[in-house]
Amino acid sequence: MHIDLTVLEKLEKLSHLRIAESKREEVIRQLSEIVSYVENLSELDTTHLDASFSTLEGGTPMREDIPVSDTTAAPSILSHAPMSMDGFFVVPAIIE
Amino acid sequence: MITLKEALTKSKEELAEIKTEIEKLARESELNAYIGFESSGEGVPILIKDNIQVTDWPVTSGSKILQGYIAPYDATAITNLKKNGMMAFGRANMDEFAMGSTTESSYYGITKNPHDLNRVPGGSSGGSAAAVAGGIAIAALGSDTGGSIRQPAAYCGCVGFKPTYGMVSRYGLAAYASSLDQIGPITQNVEDAAILYDAISGHDPKDSTSAEHERVSIAANLDGNRKLRIAVIDNYIEAASEAIQKAYAETVKALESAGHTIVHKNMQNTKYDIATYYIVATAEAATNLARFDGVRYGRRAEGSNLSELYYNTRSEGFGEEVKRRILLGNFVLSSGYYDAYYLKAQKVRHLIRDEFGAIFDDVDLILSPVAPSVAPIIGSIHDPLDMYKSDMYTIAINLAGLPALSLPVGKDEETGMPIGLQLIGRAFDEQKVFDGAYSLEQTINYKN
């Protein structure tokens, strides 16, 4: 499949990324090549195979719903966050 | 450099001297294998890849976006290390977010191969492998999502082990592709790898994918005299360089001379493994790396509103390869393409695992190349797809969740660069992998 500018713009939005103008053509070419390459999987018959995969026998284990609290982690994370105040992360105003 | 086994017999005072000496050598080194000299715990110093959490260390996954981040806790592998006479010392350079095969994509610059400073050490655990091979670390921890422990170990002439998925806790490992990632040892020899693996392995309730499998000490039971049935994959080897093919043929002879039985097998074209891997890994990466938004961790780029803050932080903070994989991952997960790409790849994982299963019904181990060539010259790989294709021998093992150990078997006559091969085992059959590798190591007697 060929990735075009419209698809790239959609992917940038989904990824919260902006690709610099000078790189866009190159990125489109690289993504197109990679996507075309991975399409080789269509040569394989997977009709009867499960779409979920896990190497864990019996799937992900269940556990009791008991809260685990590490009281040291939160203050440490907040103190090293780009901006925090009164136990909260600070971001630009969301409501104008 | 002193081996891990020997270092574990040293007194506190002797270890303090060894650590001082390592720091001195590492600071003088041209390799750029260490990106920090932080220290945590007491015991034998082990170099830690920059994506494994150690309390109060800057742990940055080799990325600009994590500058300023300080780890608030120890990864379980680190906790286990400290319980077993070892400590964390120094951060090892790596490809940004473990996405790469050369350690050229790190925010901290290129790491060099100790055998030839013009060549890459491999990646993504390039700093770990270069330091061990370069005599500036006793042993190191790396992580392996698609070959990131085994390939740099092969390029640098040391031993690297990727455990069965679930045997080492992923708690505290910066997630790249959660269904593939494993922490593992990079060491000077097979026995050290077993010792370090034993130390970090264990069931962990903090990792829901941690296997509740019984752990028996591999190192204590290491047996180089055990005779094994080992498969060689005849159609795999054609794609490798002449030097790798030659080393492979000589290794097969060495295994036979050591009394092992060689069985010839074929496997499906590795192009399907590559395709499956780059769909699954990028899909998981796009999801895992969504958390880096400039709000909670690391570096924030300013923006006039929250959306601009996200865009600016991520666009400035991530390098090119990471951006490419996030875009790809969001492509294969996006509406309209999800079934054709992501679900298709998940289905193919069953085929890959079943194919290994069929071979392991007949044999104990598989011998395979690790990479199709020796370590390339720095800057020689320009095309991302070419780099992805060079992972052809390592990624199927991660997709199937199997254990595999890479060890040096010889050197390329033309370049003098080390050649590593890997032994792959059944899930949870690490003992046979180590026994086979121990036997091969003794038979070949490789010298760096």
Side-chain angles (χ1 to χ4, degrees), chain A residues 46-64:
Chain A
T46 55
T47 324
H48 302 293
L49 293 168
D50 193 347
S52 67
F53 180 90
S54 171
T55 57
L56 299 170
E57 282 169 25
T60 309
M62 305 292 279
R63 67 172 185 203
E64 291 300 316

Side-chain angles (χ1 to χ4, degrees), chain A residues 1 3 7-8 10-19 23 26-27 29-31 33-35 37-47 49-57 59-61 63 68 70 72-74 76-77 80-83 89-94 96, chain B residues 68 70 72-73 165 205 208-209 268 271-272 274-276 278-279 294-298 300 303-312 314-315 318 320 323-324 326-328 330-331 334-335 337 341 343-351 353 383-385 388-389 399-401:
Chain A
M1 172 174 166
I3 305 274
V7 177
L8 179 67
K10 183 184 160 199
L11 295 178
E12 284 179 289
K13 203 173 162 192
L14 287 171
S15 308
H16 271 110
L17 282 175
R18 274 195 209 97
I19 302 300
K23 297 267 179 196
E26 190 189 355
V27 169
R29 182 184 57 76
Q30 289 168 339
L31 292 180
E33 269 180 30
I34 296 164
V35 169
Y37 181 84
V38 302
E39 283 167 359
N40 70 37
L41 293 188
S42 63
E43 294 162 22
L44 298 171
D45 179 11
T46 55
T47 324
L49 293 168
D50 193 347
S52 67
F53 180 90
S54 171
T55 57
L56 299 170
E57 282 169 25
T60 309
R63 67 172 185 203
V68 177
D70 176 350
T72 61
S76 168
I77 292 168
H80 297 115
M83 224 175 166
F89 297 110
V90 178
V91 295
I94 296 167
E96 302 278 319
Chain B
I70 303 292
Y73 62 92
Y165 184 77
S208 65
T209 61
Q268 75 173 6
K271 71 179 183 182
Y272 302 124
I274 298 165
T276 306
Y278 279 96
I279 293 171
V295 173
R296 291 155 299 164
Y297 327 97
R300 171 184 290 191
S304 54
N305 56 50
L306 190 58
S307 177
E308 284 300 305
L309 183 149
Y310 290 154
Y311 271 104
N312 293 346
R314 291 169 62 81
S315 302
F318 289 132
E320 282 184 20
K323 284 181 189 165
R324 196 153 41 232
I326 293 173
L327 293 171
L328 263 174
N330 278 321
F331 173 76
S334 62
S335 170
Y337 302 111
Y341 294 90
L343 287 189
K344 180 80 183 179
Q346 286 290 77
K347 290 178 179 180
V348 176
R349 278 186 87 171
H350 290 272
L351 294 178
R353 184 174 58 180
D383 183 57
L385 188 54
Y388 299 175
K389 286 178 182 171
L399 289 165

Side-chain angles (χ1 to χ4, degrees), chain B residues 180-444:
Chain B
L180 306 166
D181 299 337
Q182 272 291 283
I183 296 173
I186 294 182
T187 58
Q188 300 170 57
N189 59 54
V190 173
E191 190 176 15
D192 278 2
I195 293 168
L196 189 46
Y197 166 70
D198 281 342
I200 61 172
S201 165
H203 176 250
D204 181 12
K206 289 177 180 166
D207 171 4
S208 65
T209 61
S210 173
E212 288 194 61
H213 199 271
E214 192 190 1
R215 267 84 171 168
V216 178
S217 168
I218 304 285
N221 294 293
L222 205 55
D223 181 2
N225 293 316
R226 194 170 179 186
K227 304 305 171 207
L228 301 161
R229 276 173 74 79
I230 301 173
V232 293
I233 310 299
D234 294 325
N235 65 328
Y236 257 32
I237 191 72
E238 294 155 10
S241 72
E242 211 175 301
I244 305 284
Q245 293 199 24
K246 190 164 169 263
Y248 191 80
E250 284 167 6
T251 304
V252 171
K253 277 189 208 151
L255 287 167
E256 279 178 319
S257 76
H260 302 292
T261 306
I262 300 296
V263 182
H264 293 267
K265 300 278 182 190
N266 282 311
M267 287 185 83
Q268 75 173 6
N269 195 311
T270 54
K271 71 179 183 182
Y272 302 124
D273 303 333
I274 298 165
T276 306
Y277 178 84
Y278 279 96
I279 293 171
V280 171
T282 59
E284 294 185 20
T287 311
N288 277 325
L289 271 58
R291 73 190 64 170
F292 300 108
D293 55 11
V295 173
R296 291 155 299 164
Y297 327 97
R299 182 183 181 278
R300 171 184 290 191
E302 294 309 321
S304 54
N305 56 50
L306 190 58
S307 177
E308 284 300 305
L309 183 149
Y310 290 154
Y311 271 104
N312 293 346
T313 295
R314 291 169 62 81
S315 302
E316 288 176 24
F318 289 132
E320 282 184 20
E321 183 57 33
V322 175
K323 284 181 189 165
R324 196 153 41 232
R325 294 195 195 192
I326 293 173
L327 293 171
L328 263 174
N330 278 321
F331 173 76
V332 301
L333 289 174
S334 62
S335 170
Y337 302 111
Y338 179 78
D339 288 6
Y341 294 90
Y342 182 70
L343 287 189
K344 180 80 183 179
Q346 286 290 77
K347 290 178 179 180
V348 176
R349 278 186 87 171
H350 290 272
L351 294 178
I352 293 168
R353 184 174 58 180
D354 293 349
E355 193 182 28
F356 275 114
I359 292 177
F360 285 123
D361 282 343
D362 183 33
V363 302
D364 299 306
L365 299 173
I366 297 172
L367 177 73
S368 155
V370 174
S373 70
V374 296
I377 300 282
I378 290 167
S380 64
I381 302 176
H382 303 291
D383 183 57
L385 188 54
D386 283 346
M387 184 171 73
Y388 299 175
K389 286 178 182 171
S390 74
D391 295 340
M392 60 186 290
Y393 294 123
T394 46
I395 48 190
I397 286 99
N398 300 75
L399 289 165
L402 306 176
L405 186 146
S406 159
L407 78 163
V409 296
K411 281 187 177 167
D412 173 19
E413 284 167 13
E414 196 186 318
T415 60
M417 296 306 290
I419 295 172
L421 299 178
Q422 61 181 336
L423 286 167
I424 308 157
R426 273 187 207 99
F428 306 113
D429 201 1
E430 343 283 298
Q431 188 70 53
K432 276 202 196 102
V433 174
F434 274 98
D435 287 350
Y438 195 45
S439 160
L440 184 57
E441 182 182 56
Q442 289 171 335
T443 310
I444 286 191

